[in-house]
Amino acid sequence: MNELFGEIKWIRLAISLLFLFVFTIFNKWTSTKLFHLLKRIFSQKWDSIYQLLHGPARALMTLVGISGAVRFYFADGGASWPLFQGLVRTGFIIIIGWAFYNLSGRSSRFFAGMTSKLGVEESDMIIPFLSKVLRFMVIALTITIIMGEWGYSVNGLVAGLGLGSLAVALAAQDTLSNLIAGIIIVTEKPFSKGDWIRTDAVEGMVEDISFRSSKIRTFADSIVIIPNNILAKAAITNWSRMGKRRVTFDLGVAIDTDRVQLANAVNRLREYIENHEGIDHDLYMVRLKEMTKDQITILFYFFTYTTIWVEHMKVLESINFEILRILEEEGVKLAVPAQRLFLENHAIFEKEAADI
């Protein structure tokens, strides 16, 4: 027993235990002080990083304390314990993987900046997806490095994953195609949730956008689900992106309308459109377009400032009532379908008339 105690290096043991005590018992205090120092140097952005790396930092402090105590106590630095050295290296790899796993979460500063650039609606879909992909890559890379650390060959595993991925890709071509198309729709933003769009297949309001498909609510109040690969190839008209909304129509008036009355009516109609507050004055036309055997046509062509369908219809309704009022005041009647019957004055009709 005396020989056993005599072999113990008390000074080294005391220093090792102190080192272990500082880095394990006080690791919370040490990591907090370290991050406060980094915050002073690198400004407020370290607040969110501290929340993400607080756990890995404390684990790293504990591992450093254990490894440092063992290395300091033994003269060979613990080289005679290969298992211990392997466990320490594995612990470092796991802690680094843990840190990157937390940093790849959707609440990280990287994804927070991407959220502000993409917008809330798009980020609600793409940020969780990218976060899951990055976290999967971090886990796979961490496991691969640990297996290599313990002498396991990962070439066969990588080859197997490659063949498996090829089989999955071939079996899920449509899903992958929809996924890629969904990413294109999110990044290029041909439309957003709530937009009114029209394609060759459907017209309605965009209710939801996912990586596989998009939901369109038609004006018949039904839901149409379109795969993204079809939607990405289609020609899309986004009515919600209009800066102004066009109105064009022909108004037919009676063919026998007095010329002066017609000219006054057209001038008043043009002046009304010109002074209307809800109409864009950069381009508008109220002109006598053509005359046929049945009617005289007046062309109306203008744009309303509002693109919202309900408000647009209110403006158009007020314009139509004013058109009717002006035509009524000027004595101009609208064209109605009519037929004229012409009778020739033959002798047979004259004889019948005389007999009567």
Side-chain angles (χ1 to χ4, degrees):
M1 183 67 66
N2 292 332
E3 294 178 358
L4 178 63
F5 280 99
E7 293 179 358
I8 297 176
K9 304 172 184 178
W10 293 103
I11 297 178
R12 282 182 173 270
L13 179 60
I15 296 176
S16 298
L17 290 177
L18 179 62
F19 191 82
L20 178 63
F21 183 78
V22 170
F23 276 86
T24 55
I25 304 302
F26 292 104
N27 62 357
K28 182 178 181 180
W29 179 86
T30 306
S31 61
T32 303
K33 291 298 182 182
L34 176 61
F35 273 97
H36 283 173
L37 177 62
L38 294 174
K39 180 180 176 181
R40 291 182 180 180
I41 298 175
F42 297 103
S43 72
Q44 299 291 331
K45 68 181 182 179
W46 282 90
D47 287 338
S48 59
I49 297 180
Y50 173 73
Q51 298 296 329
L52 295 173
L53 298 183
H54 181 63
R58 293 189 61 183
L60 180 62
M61 291 289 181
T62 302
L63 186 61
V64 169
I66 296 173
S67 176
V70 173
R71 289 175 181 273
F72 183 81
Y73 179 77
F74 292 96
D76 60 355
S80 58
W81 291 7
L83 178 60
F84 175 77
Q85 298 293 337
L87 290 174
V88 170
R89 288 193 296 268
T90 301
F92 274 110
I93 295 171
I94 293 175
I95 292 173
I96 293 174
W98 182 11
F100 278 103
Y101 181 86
N102 288 349
L103 289 175
S104 60
R106 62 177 300 177
S107 60
S108 65
R109 288 188 60 86
F110 170 73
F111 286 122
M114 185 178 293
T115 298
S116 61
K117 292 180 180 179
L118 288 177
V120 177
E121 294 177 347
E122 288 77 6
S123 65
D124 284 345
M125 177 177 62
I126 196 171
I127 298 303
F129 172 77
L130 293 178
S131 176
K132 290 178 181 178
V133 170
L134 287 178
R135 285 188 163 183
F136 174 79
M137 294 175 62
V138 168
I139 294 173
L141 185 61
T142 302
I143 294 175
T144 302
I145 296 175
I146 292 175
M147 291 178 63
E149 180 65 29
W150 289 95
Y152 292 98
S153 177
V154 297
N155 294 331
L157 177 62
V158 172
L161 288 175
L163 293 175
S165 299
L166 178 60
V168 172
L170 292 175
Q173 275 186 324
D174 290 340
T175 301
L176 292 176
S177 177
N178 289 326
L179 177 63
I180 295 173
I183 295 175
I184 293 174
I185 290 174
V186 170
T187 53
E188 292 188 356
K189 295 183 179 180
F191 55 83
S192 302
K193 291 181 182 179
D195 284 358
W196 170 21
I197 66 170
R198 183 179 69 186
T199 68
D200 293 338
V202 67
E203 179 176 6
M205 310 297 292
V206 179
E207 213 170 71
D208 189 27
I209 308 170
S210 66
F211 279 110
R212 193 192 70 83
S213 60
S214 297
K215 294 182 180 179
I216 312 296
R217 183 171 293 276
T218 67
F219 294 117
D221 203 29
S222 61
I223 291 290
V224 178
I225 301 176
I226 303 180
N228 285 332
N229 60 344
I230 296 177
L231 199 58
K233 297 176 184 178
I236 302 173
T237 301
N238 192 332
W239 296 111
S240 297
R241 303 284 175 88
M242 292 185 297
K244 49 191 176 181
R245 191 158 184 171
R246 187 183 68 172
V247 177
T248 178
F249 61 91
D250 292 334
L251 180 66
V253 299
I255 189 65
D256 56 352
T257 302
D258 182 76
R259 180 179 59 84
V260 176
Q261 292 176 326
L262 181 60
N264 292 337
V266 172
N267 291 332
R268 288 185 60 184
L269 291 171
R270 187 183 302 114
E271 182 179 356
Y272 169 72
I273 296 296
E274 181 180 0
N275 296 325
H276 198 288
E277 295 180 353
I279 293 177
D280 181 26
H281 299 144
D282 291 338
L283 177 60
Y284 63 93
M285 283 189 292
V286 179
R287 296 291 180 182
L288 190 65
K289 180 180 178 180
E290 62 183 358
M291 292 180 291
T292 66
K293 63 179 182 178
D294 298 320
Q295 65 179 17
I296 301 174
T297 303
I298 303 174
L299 169 67
F300 288 84
Y301 187 95
F302 54 88
F303 293 85
T304 61
Y305 285 124
T306 180
T307 59
I308 301 174
W309 186 68
V310 175
E311 297 179 1
H312 169 80
M313 292 304 298
K314 289 181 179 179
V315 174
L316 190 57
E317 181 185 52
S318 65
I319 292 174
N320 288 333
F321 276 121
E322 186 63 20
I323 290 174
L324 292 176
R325 187 184 67 83
I326 292 175
L327 294 179
E328 183 180 352
E329 291 180 354
E330 295 296 333
V332 177
K333 296 182 179 181
L334 296 177
V336 294
Q339 292 183 345
R340 295 185 178 183
L341 180 61
F342 295 93
L343 297 177
E344 294 185 4
N345 188 14
H346 292 289
I348 186 173
F349 295 111
E350 293 180 355
K351 182 180 180 181
E352 292 179 354
D355 294 338
I356 295 174

